[in-house]
Amino acid sequence: MLGVIDLPTYLAGLVLIVLLPGPNSLYVLSVAARRGVRTGYTAAAGVWCGDTVLMTLSAAGVASLLQANAVLFSIVKYAGAGYLTWLAIGMLRAARAMWRARREAVAESAEPEEAAGERPFRRALVISLFNPKAILFFVAFFVQFVDPGYAYPALSFVVLGAFAQLASVLYLTALIFSGTRLAAAFRRRKRLSAGATTAAGALFLGFAVKLTLAGA
């Protein structure tokens, strides 16, 4: 079909890959839980735009260039790890303020102040773009399902990318609505909210360390 081979295998692999937790999905869930459905979709749109850029770059062969150039790969890798670390520090600082507010029995926490200056679309977009392993994954995964003899390989990548984006839309939509249900519990229980923010910050630090240790 349009130069795509073994579509059922591709779809099965795609489902497994989309369901794997990562910084993108974790950030969308966090935003939806804190700021509601509309803002959750704003963050999700950043993820989808970032994924589209990565898939386009992969189809253009940029991922192969990163894989072949160790210096360039390292620059992108450490830049991505640095950005994830910066996000983690921000989350942990907000969590610390929330714990302090809870101990002092203050109704408001520091989280709304952080959210006021937050730009979910831009932040999600940058998280997606500074992920060199995602670029390498896209090119390594996509090429296995493109017929090398097909006259229009770009069309094959479009088909594969459309399925990938559809899977992402369905998955992030589920996370967004799950996040809004969690929001009510977070508002009622400050301890739960502070603990969840701490856990999210720790996970982002873990993503940064994992990215730093990744090889080209």
Side-chain angles (χ1 to χ4, degrees), residues 50-82:
D51 286 347
T52 299
V53 172
L54 292 182
M55 285 185 276
T56 302
L57 293 175
S58 297
V62 174
S64 298
L65 176 62
L66 282 176
Q67 195 170 26
N69 191 320
V71 174
L72 181 59
F73 179 87
S74 295
I75 292 173
V76 176
K77 179 175 70 173
Y78 288 117

Tab-separated table of all heavy atoms in Angstrom, residues 50-82:
chain	number	residue	atom	x	y	z
A	50	GLY	N	6.508	18.706	17.179
A	50	GLY	CA	7.875	18.230	17.327
A	50	GLY	C	8.090	16.889	16.652
A	50	GLY	O	9.103	16.672	15.967
A	51	ASP	N	7.131	15.979	16.827
A	51	ASP	CA	7.237	14.665	16.190
A	51	ASP	C	7.214	14.783	14.671
A	51	ASP	O	7.918	14.059	13.967
A	51	ASP	CB	6.092	13.752	16.651
A	51	ASP	CG	6.286	13.263	18.081
A	51	ASP	OD1	7.395	13.409	18.616
A	51	ASP	OD2	5.311	12.725	18.660
A	52	THR	N	6.389	15.707	14.168
A	52	THR	CA	6.328	15.910	12.720
A	52	THR	C	7.670	16.383	12.182
A	52	THR	O	8.145	15.916	11.135
A	52	THR	CB	5.233	16.939	12.369
A	52	THR	OG1	3.964	16.446	12.803
A	52	THR	CG2	5.184	17.179	10.859
A	53	VAL	N	8.291	17.311	12.906
A	53	VAL	CA	9.614	17.800	12.499
A	53	VAL	C	10.627	16.657	12.513
A	53	VAL	O	11.424	16.487	11.577
A	53	VAL	CB	10.079	18.939	13.417
A	53	VAL	CG1	11.532	19.306	13.123
A	53	VAL	CG2	9.186	20.162	13.237
A	54	LEU	N	10.612	15.850	13.574
A	54	LEU	CA	11.560	14.739	13.674
A	54	LEU	C	11.363	13.730	12.560
A	54	LEU	O	12.329	13.233	11.967
A	54	LEU	CB	11.415	14.041	15.030
A	54	LEU	CG	11.846	14.848	16.258
A	54	LEU	CD1	11.699	14.009	17.509
A	54	LEU	CD2	13.264	15.353	16.112
A	55	MET	N	10.106	13.422	12.245
A	55	MET	CA	9.838	12.468	11.171
A	55	MET	C	10.280	13.031	9.822
A	55	MET	O	10.798	12.298	8.977
A	55	MET	CB	8.350	12.098	11.152
A	55	MET	CG	7.961	11.149	12.273
A	55	MET	SD	6.243	10.600	12.190
A	55	MET	CE	5.418	11.960	13.000
A	56	THR	N	10.080	14.334	9.625
A	56	THR	CA	10.509	14.960	8.375
A	56	THR	C	12.031	14.932	8.255
A	56	THR	O	12.583	14.622	7.185
A	56	THR	CB	10.004	16.410	8.310
A	56	THR	OG1	8.575	16.421	8.421
A	56	THR	CG2	10.413	17.059	7.002
A	57	LEU	N	12.706	15.256	9.365
A	57	LEU	CA	14.164	15.211	9.351
A	57	LEU	C	14.673	13.797	9.115
A	57	LEU	O	15.669	13.590	8.413
A	57	LEU	CB	14.716	15.745	10.678
A	57	LEU	CG	14.504	17.235	10.957
A	57	LEU	CD1	14.995	17.585	12.355
A	57	LEU	CD2	15.214	18.080	9.910
A	58	SER	N	13.995	12.837	9.700
A	58	SER	CA	14.395	11.444	9.508
A	58	SER	C	14.263	11.045	8.049
A	58	SER	O	15.150	10.399	7.480
A	58	SER	CB	13.542	10.531	10.392
A	58	SER	OG	13.750	10.800	11.754
A	59	ALA	N	13.139	11.410	7.442
A	59	ALA	CA	12.934	11.078	6.034
A	59	ALA	C	13.962	11.772	5.148
A	59	ALA	O	14.355	11.244	4.099
A	59	ALA	CB	11.517	11.487	5.606
A	60	ALA	N	14.424	12.946	5.591
A	60	ALA	CA	15.415	13.691	4.805
A	60	ALA	C	16.839	13.198	5.025
A	60	ALA	O	17.759	13.645	4.353
A	60	ALA	CB	15.328	15.177	5.133
A	61	GLY	N	17.018	12.312	5.987
A	61	GLY	CA	18.342	11.739	6.210
A	61	GLY	C	19.173	12.423	7.271
A	61	GLY	O	20.336	12.085	7.462
A	62	VAL	N	18.585	13.387	7.998
A	62	VAL	CA	19.345	14.088	9.029
A	62	VAL	C	19.727	13.138	10.157
A	62	VAL	O	20.811	13.260	10.746
A	62	VAL	CB	18.537	15.285	9.572
A	62	VAL	CG1	19.243	15.933	10.756
A	62	VAL	CG2	18.323	16.310	8.470
A	63	ALA	N	18.848	12.189	10.463
A	63	ALA	CA	19.166	11.241	11.528
A	63	ALA	C	20.417	10.441	11.199
A	63	ALA	O	21.238	10.150	12.070
A	63	ALA	CB	17.978	10.300	11.749
A	64	SER	N	20.559	10.073	9.927
A	64	SER	CA	21.770	9.345	9.530
A	64	SER	C	23.011	10.207	9.717
A	64	SER	O	24.073	9.722	10.105
A	64	SER	CB	21.651	8.910	8.065
A	64	SER	OG	20.554	8.036	7.890
A	65	LEU	N	22.865	11.518	9.457
A	65	LEU	CA	23.985	12.431	9.655
A	65	LEU	C	24.379	12.500	11.129
A	65	LEU	O	25.561	12.469	11.474
A	65	LEU	CB	23.609	13.827	9.148
A	65	LEU	CG	24.643	14.946	9.377
A	65	LEU	CD1	25.947	14.615	8.643
A	65	LEU	CD2	24.086	16.281	8.917
A	66	LEU	N	23.368	12.583	12.016
A	66	LEU	CA	23.652	12.593	13.444
A	66	LEU	C	24.337	11.306	13.888
A	66	LEU	O	25.246	11.317	14.705
A	66	LEU	CB	22.347	12.774	14.239
A	66	LEU	CG	21.772	14.183	14.322
A	66	LEU	CD1	20.438	14.145	15.051
A	66	LEU	CD2	22.733	15.111	15.034
A	67	GLN	N	23.873	10.206	13.325
A	67	GLN	CA	24.431	8.917	13.703
A	67	GLN	C	25.883	8.792	13.244
A	67	GLN	O	26.709	8.182	13.912
A	67	GLN	CB	23.584	7.790	13.102
A	67	GLN	CG	23.854	6.428	13.711
A	67	GLN	CD	22.834	5.415	13.265
A	67	GLN	OE1	22.242	5.532	12.201
A	67	GLN	NE2	22.628	4.396	14.075
A	68	ALA	N	26.195	9.399	12.106
A	68	ALA	CA	27.543	9.283	11.557
A	68	ALA	C	28.504	10.305	12.164
A	68	ALA	O	29.711	10.076	12.199
A	68	ALA	CB	27.502	9.460	10.037
A	69	ASN	N	27.984	11.424	12.636
A	69	ASN	CA	28.824	12.494	13.176
A	69	ASN	C	28.732	12.488	14.699
A	69	ASN	O	27.763	12.991	15.282
A	69	ASN	CB	28.360	13.840	12.609
A	69	ASN	CG	29.346	14.952	12.918
A	69	ASN	OD1	29.891	15.013	14.018
A	69	ASN	ND2	29.556	15.836	11.951
A	70	ALA	N	29.745	11.950	15.361
A	70	ALA	CA	29.714	11.797	16.816
A	70	ALA	C	29.678	13.143	17.529
A	70	ALA	O	29.004	13.303	18.552
A	70	ALA	CB	30.927	10.994	17.284
A	71	VAL	N	30.391	14.144	16.997
A	71	VAL	CA	30.425	15.456	17.639
A	71	VAL	C	29.052	16.116	17.585
A	71	VAL	O	28.542	16.631	18.590
A	71	VAL	CB	31.474	16.364	16.967
A	71	VAL	CG1	31.401	17.771	17.551
A	71	VAL	CG2	32.869	15.783	17.143
A	72	LEU	N	28.428	16.098	16.403
A	72	LEU	CA	27.112	16.699	16.249
A	72	LEU	C	26.090	15.988	17.126
A	72	LEU	O	25.244	16.622	17.770
A	72	LEU	CB	26.688	16.648	14.780
A	72	LEU	CG	25.330	17.273	14.433
A	72	LEU	CD1	25.312	18.739	14.832
A	72	LEU	CD2	25.034	17.103	12.954
A	73	PHE	N	26.169	14.666	17.154
A	73	PHE	CA	25.241	13.900	17.984
A	73	PHE	C	25.407	14.282	19.458
A	73	PHE	O	24.432	14.454	20.189
A	73	PHE	CB	25.483	12.398	17.802
A	73	PHE	CG	24.587	11.536	18.646
A	73	PHE	CD1	23.337	11.167	18.197
A	73	PHE	CD2	24.995	11.095	19.895
A	73	PHE	CE1	22.504	10.389	18.978
A	73	PHE	CE2	24.177	10.301	20.686
A	73	PHE	CZ	22.930	9.949	20.218
A	74	SER	N	26.661	14.433	19.901
A	74	SER	CA	26.919	14.776	21.303
A	74	SER	C	26.363	16.147	21.643
A	74	SER	O	25.819	16.359	22.739
A	74	SER	CB	28.420	14.723	21.586
A	74	SER	OG	28.915	13.409	21.449
A	75	ILE	N	26.487	17.099	20.724
A	75	ILE	CA	25.970	18.443	20.962
A	75	ILE	C	24.463	18.401	21.173
A	75	ILE	O	23.926	18.967	22.139
A	75	ILE	CB	26.319	19.378	19.793
A	75	ILE	CG1	27.831	19.635	19.751
A	75	ILE	CG2	25.558	20.702	19.912
A	75	ILE	CD1	28.286	20.417	18.545
A	76	VAL	N	23.760	17.720	20.277
A	76	VAL	CA	22.308	17.621	20.390
A	76	VAL	C	21.918	16.854	21.647
A	76	VAL	O	20.988	17.231	22.377
A	76	VAL	CB	21.724	16.947	19.134
A	76	VAL	CG1	20.215	16.757	19.286
A	76	VAL	CG2	22.031	17.772	17.895
A	77	LYS	N	22.649	15.783	21.925
A	77	LYS	CA	22.342	14.942	23.079
A	77	LYS	C	22.469	15.722	24.384
A	77	LYS	O	21.561	15.706	25.228
A	77	LYS	CB	23.274	13.728	23.097
A	77	LYS	CG	23.052	12.806	24.289
A	77	LYS	CD	23.923	11.568	24.195
A	77	LYS	CE	25.387	11.914	24.412
A	77	LYS	NZ	26.218	10.689	24.492
A	78	TYR	N	23.596	16.429	24.563
A	78	TYR	CA	23.809	17.138	25.822
A	78	TYR	C	22.910	18.368	25.940
A	78	TYR	O	22.525	18.752	27.047
A	78	TYR	CB	25.275	17.518	25.968
A	78	TYR	CG	26.155	16.318	26.248
A	78	TYR	CD1	27.154	15.932	25.356
A	78	TYR	CD2	25.967	15.548	27.395
A	78	TYR	CE1	27.941	14.815	25.599
A	78	TYR	CE2	26.748	14.431	27.644
A	78	TYR	CZ	27.740	14.073	26.747
A	78	TYR	OH	28.509	12.969	26.990
A	79	ALA	N	22.580	18.974	24.815
A	79	ALA	CA	21.629	20.085	24.854
A	79	ALA	C	20.267	19.588	25.323
A	79	ALA	O	19.601	20.223	26.155
A	79	ALA	CB	21.517	20.734	23.480
A	80	GLY	N	19.844	18.451	24.802
A	80	GLY	CA	18.575	17.863	25.233
A	80	GLY	C	18.594	17.479	26.697
A	80	GLY	O	17.635	17.722	27.435
A	81	ALA	N	19.686	16.856	27.134
A	81	ALA	CA	19.805	16.464	28.541
A	81	ALA	C	19.788	17.691	29.451
A	81	ALA	O	19.176	17.676	30.529
A	81	ALA	CB	21.082	15.664	28.755
A	82	GLY	N	20.447	18.772	29.013
A	82	GLY	CA	20.460	19.993	29.802
A	82	GLY	C	19.075	20.599	29.939
A	82	GLY	O	18.687	21.069	31.019
